[in-house]
Amino acid sequence: MSDDVGRDRFVKDPGLLVELCREVIDELDSGASDSDVAEREAQLREIAKTIERLEKAQWVRYQMTQDGTLRADSPYGIWVLMESPR
């Protein structure tokens, strides 16, 4: 994917990507029953599950910053523990 703006939308809101995967799966379900389509559908389902796990991790990270376990100012992708929780 070469469109950084489009990619950033999905990074900021992974739920959009989950919804896109679901829409593609629904469209594939209504189409042909070719084995390649079934394989692609299974791959998309796995991608959607992974994205949902990432969303949950983001929510857990947010909760941990709110309760003082993690530093809220840590760089993206790095979870820095507080010296002593509040």
Side-chain angles (χ1 to χ4, degrees):
M1 177 185 249
S2 62
D3 182 6
D4 289 339
V5 175
R7 184 175 39 232
D8 288 345
R9 255 182 63 222
F10 293 117
V11 169
K12 289 178 183 172
D13 186 1
L16 292 173
L17 191 51
V18 171
E19 185 58 33
L20 177 62
C21 287
R22 287 187 178 134
E23 289 174 13
V24 170
I25 289 167
D26 289 344
E27 199 168 312
L28 288 173
D29 282 344
S30 66
S33 61
D34 183 46
S35 64
D36 287 340
V37 171
E39 183 179 334
R40 282 185 246 134
E41 178 182 339
Q43 290 171 346
L44 286 170
R45 288 185 196 279
E46 286 304 312
I47 291 168
K49 287 178 191 175
T50 300
I51 293 168
E52 286 175 347
R53 286 190 294 267
L54 288 171
E55 279 185 307
K56 288 177 186 174
Q58 288 176 333
W59 179 245
V60 169
R61 183 185 192 287
Y62 171 76
Q63 290 174 322
M64 291 176 77
T65 59
Q66 296 302 297
D67 73 11
T69 304
L70 293 177
R71 289 182 51 164
D73 62 346
S74 59
Y76 178 80
I78 299 173
W79 294 28
V80 179
L81 293 175
M82 295 292 283
E83 291 288 325
S84 59
R86 289 184 240 163

